[in-house]
Structure formats: C-alpha cells, structure tokens
Amino acid sequence: MKGGDVSLLETWLLEIAKSLGKFVLNPLFPLSLLFAILVGYFRVKRERSDFHTRLLDGYNDLRVLLSYGLVLGLAFSIVTLVIGLTVPVISLVVIGAVTILFALTGRFQLLSAGITVGVSYLLLWAWDFSGLDIPYISELENGNLLGFLPLLAGLLLMIEGALIRLSGWKNTSPRWIKSPRGMKVGALQSKKLWLVPMILFVPEGSLPPIFDWWPVVSLGTTDLALVCVPFLLGFSLLVRSALPAIVVRPVGGNVFWFGAFITTVAAAGYWVTEASIAAGALAVLGRIWMAVSTSRKEAEKPYYFKRQPAGLMILGIIPGSPAETLSLRVGEVILKVNGNDISNEREFYEALQKNGAYCKLEVVGTNGENRFTQGALYEGDHHELGLLFTYQDERWETDQVS
C-alpha cells in the first residue's frame, strides 16, 4: 500500500472515531438513557401494584435500549457510508427535537422512525417551500439534500422492523385489564426503547474521497464530515389475544418490508423530487395506520389470558425462580399439583404444601399437549415458586407470589 493510501486510510479511521465520540456527546444519548430508566421504574411500580412483586429489575429496559439496536445501526451504517448519505445539520437537530417531544408523551408508537424522521422531513420541506428567510435555511439550498431524509427514514424503518421481530416480543410485562363485562383478565405489555447509531455525512467538512466512484449519491456536495447520530426508536403494544411471539413478530416483519418499500420510493427521489415528498408522507401516514390497525385488531380478538375451565394459566414467570427450573412457560396451564386438581391459587398453594420437598406438575403446554414436570423444592420455595397466574381468587388475598 502506498504512503498516500495509508494516510488517507488513517484520516478516515480518525474521522470515524471522532464521529463515534459525537454520538456520546449528542444530547439525545443521555436523554435516551433517562427515558429507559424511567420506563423501568414505572413498569416495576405497576407490577408491584398488580402482583405485589416485579418480574424484571428496573434496569432491564436500559439493557434493552443498549442491545440489538447498537449492532443493527452500525451494520446499516455500512450502507450509508458506501452511498455517502448526506443530510443537513439542521435536519438532525429537528429530528432530535421531535423525538424528545414525542418521547415525553409516553406513547412509544410515536417513536417509530417513519413518524419522527418523516414528520421532521415534512416540517423542513414546508419550511423550505415557504421561502421564509430563517437562520440556517441556507443549508437546505444545496442540491436538495433534504430529499435524502425519506431514504434515511426507510433504512431506519427496516432496522425498527428487525428489532421488533428480534426482541419486541421478549420479556413482556404482565398486567391486569378489564374486559367489556368488567371482569379482570390478564394481558402482556410490550414497551421497548432501542438506541440506534447511524453514521451519516453532513455538508460541513473536508473529508477526502476514498474511492473515485464515491459518494454514490452525490448532489454536488464534496465538503463532507462524518457524524454518528443516535436515533431513539420505540414500540408499544398490549398483547391480549395470543402469546407475544405470535402477535408481535409478524408486526416486525410488516414494518421491515414497509421500510424497504419507503426506501425504494425515496431512492427514486434522486431523479424525481416528488418521489421524496411522497415517501416522506407515506412513511408518516403508513406507520400511524399500521400502529392503529394492529392495536385495534388486537383489541377486537378474544382474550387469551383468562380464567380456564380447569387449572391455572401462567401469565408471568420471575427470572431465576424455581418455576424456570421446572421449565414452565407463559401461556401454559397447570392442571394438577402433586396429583391434585387445582382451579385457584389457594388450591395451588395447598397442593404444594402437601409435599414440601418435592413438586410434580401436570401441565398443558402451549402446543395443547399434556406433559409432566417435576423437581425438588427447598425450604420456602413453595411460597416463592415465581409464577403469576391469569386468575386470582378474590376471596383469598395474599401478598405472596406463587
């Protein structure tokens, strides 16, 4: 490798390192951490109110925030680096402000990339179209750089769909809801935040091109600088009709392919400006329609986590509890305990106490087939088996979790 090539590579590596530092310094980064901690706090508070215990510790939501999103964001950044995706600095400021505003509402459906980036694009497009003399508007005059925002929205929607499919259904939080008849039934709340880093270019720098053909989508802007931007993505859905994986994973697939469609339409904006406008509007309206229709369809379906004709259905399992050792799963129905039929928590406890050192359960699995599971119990385990049921006997109040 020639000396000049080494120097060029060193310049790029240094610029990438600096852009990662800008990621941490972005105000949205610490605010995202704060939002995740608050989500965990209120989740634990609600679980303790409903069940007198919490399932996952308050920092679980923080761990989710800093999980798959970081990996997928950096992986998709390879695409933005190769094509040289350039956006105005003011657009990143507006996206950050819109994201924070929507996060403060507590409605994480609004934190979809299609909505936050799409709304920001439409606001900036209207701002530019109005012709008003506003500070920083000159940024938007260079070759329609603003038109790249719908392309960014499409890529982020694909990441969002992958995140929902990968982890949107995991570690859901049990809760009580009321049926139309006023009965208390169980449901599982999926409420997630993911932090996604994306490496982009802004038209303020002097980064030398590393290849003759780069950037692929140049609009005449050659003075570029790298920046790693944090994007906060959110998802929320109350699951009541089936197991979370059955309900949530298809939603993730739909969002991913919707993002691929928006990316395709937005790419056409490189030649036809109207395609960018259409992609931005479709990203917002389409993602809102998907969220509303999914919630409405879920609300109209029969309840899954309800009182069973025989036995008790599992609504939640505390991690690390004896219930995990017994290989029990959410959605399974316990029919018998130590050979005794059960229909409520009192009978469950009494059957456990008949054999304090051993536990044998007959369970109907989520596949509809009966199976047996058994294991030794240590002193006190029968009071702390780690199970939450879809039915509580109102005549028998207890502060203990079975």
Side-chain angles (χ1 to χ4, degrees), residues 50-53 176 184 307 311-316 334 337 341-353 382-402:
D50 285 349
F51 304 102
H52 308 292
T53 189
W176 293 121
K184 188 166 64 173
R307 185 176 183 179
L312 287 173
M313 177 178 279
I314 300 171
L315 180 62
I334 300 177
V337 179
D341 293 329
I342 62 166
S343 60
N344 55 52
E345 285 188 88
R346 176 187 287 276
E347 293 175 354
F348 181 86
Y349 278 113
E350 290 175 347
L352 276 179
Q353 293 169 354
H382 60 280
H383 287 301
E384 300 175 357
L385 202 57
L387 289 172
L388 304 178
F389 294 117
T390 58
Y391 172 70
Q392 287 184 328
D393 190 346
E394 301 293 347
R395 296 168 298 175
W396 184 54
E397 297 293 336
T398 177
D399 287 341
Q400 298 292 334
V401 177
S402 55

Side-chain angles (χ1 to χ4, degrees), residues 24-343:
V24 178
L25 296 175
N26 191 301
L28 191 58
F29 177 72
L31 286 174
S32 298
L33 301 180
L34 177 61
F35 286 139
I37 292 172
L38 289 175
V39 169
Y41 169 78
F42 287 112
R43 173 184 54 78
V44 169
K45 186 176 180 180
R46 178 182 52 75
E47 289 177 351
R48 290 192 184 279
S49 175
D50 285 349
F51 304 102
H52 308 292
T53 189
R54 52 92 173 155
L55 265 76
L56 300 165
D57 62 73
Y59 294 101
N60 178 73
D61 300 271
L62 185 60
R63 291 191 289 270
V64 172
L65 179 81
L66 303 173
S67 58
Y68 294 106
L70 299 181
V71 177
L72 287 176
L74 293 176
F76 270 71
S77 291
I78 297 175
V79 177
T80 62
L81 282 170
V82 170
I83 66 177
L85 187 59
T86 307
V87 296
V89 175
I90 188 62
S91 67
L92 301 179
V93 175
V94 173
I95 292 172
V98 170
T99 300
I100 294 171
L101 179 63
F102 287 173
L104 290 173
T105 67
R107 300 184 66 86
F108 288 179
Q109 301 95 324
L110 296 176
L111 292 179
S112 167
I115 298 175
T116 55
V117 180
V119 167
S120 300
Y121 166 72
L122 294 176
L123 287 174
L124 287 168
W125 177 81
W127 183 3
D128 186 31
F129 183 78
S130 69
L132 296 177
D133 185 16
I134 305 175
Y136 308 110
I137 194 66
S138 59
E139 269 197 313
L140 308 181
E141 296 175 355
N142 191 342
N144 288 327
L145 287 180
L146 187 60
F148 284 151
L149 285 184
L151 182 61
L152 174 62
L155 293 174
L156 285 170
L157 275 169
M158 294 175 70
I159 295 175
E160 180 184 329
L163 288 171
I164 294 171
R165 188 167 179 84
L166 281 170
S167 65
W169 55 275
K170 296 180 180 178
N171 295 329
T172 51
S173 175
R175 64 181 303 168
W176 293 121
I177 59 175
K178 281 191 176 182
S179 69
R181 296 182 179 181
M183 298 179 62
K184 188 166 64 173
V185 295
L188 294 172
Q189 178 73 61
S190 174
K191 196 167 188 177
K192 309 289 185 181
L193 288 175
W194 297 286
L195 196 63
V196 176
M198 291 291 285
I199 299 178
L200 305 169
F201 294 91
V202 292
E204 294 182 4
S206 56
L207 192 63
I210 196 169
F211 300 111
D212 294 336
W213 48 264
W214 184 90
V216 175
V217 293
S218 172
L219 290 177
T221 300
T222 56
D223 299 329
L224 302 179
L226 273 178
V227 59
C228 186
V229 185
F231 291 92
L232 183 62
L233 304 184
F235 174 74
S236 180
L237 181 64
L238 185 63
V239 179
R240 64 187 87 186
S241 68
L243 295 174
I246 296 175
V247 176
V248 175
R249 294 185 71 182
V251 175
N254 293 337
V255 173
F256 179 88
W257 290 113
F258 177 64
F261 170 73
I262 294 297
T263 301
T264 303
V265 176
Y270 184 68
W271 297 277
V272 182
T273 304
E274 289 76 10
S276 294
I277 301 171
L282 285 172
V284 177
L285 297 176
R287 192 61 186 94
I288 291 175
W289 179 83
M290 292 176 70
V292 172
S293 62
T294 299
S295 297
R296 183 174 297 171
K297 288 178 182 178
E298 185 65 13
E300 292 173 350
K301 293 179 180 178
Y303 293 103
Y304 182 80
F305 300 98
K306 59 185 179 181
R307 185 176 183 179
Q308 302 298 302
L312 287 173
M313 177 178 279
I314 300 171
L315 180 62
I317 298 176
I318 298 176
S321 64
E324 271 200 343
T325 306
L326 292 169
S327 300
L328 297 173
R329 298 289 183 267
V330 170
E332 293 185 325
V333 178
I334 300 177
L335 294 177
K336 294 184 179 181
V337 179
N338 294 329
N340 297 278
D341 293 329
I342 62 166
S343 60

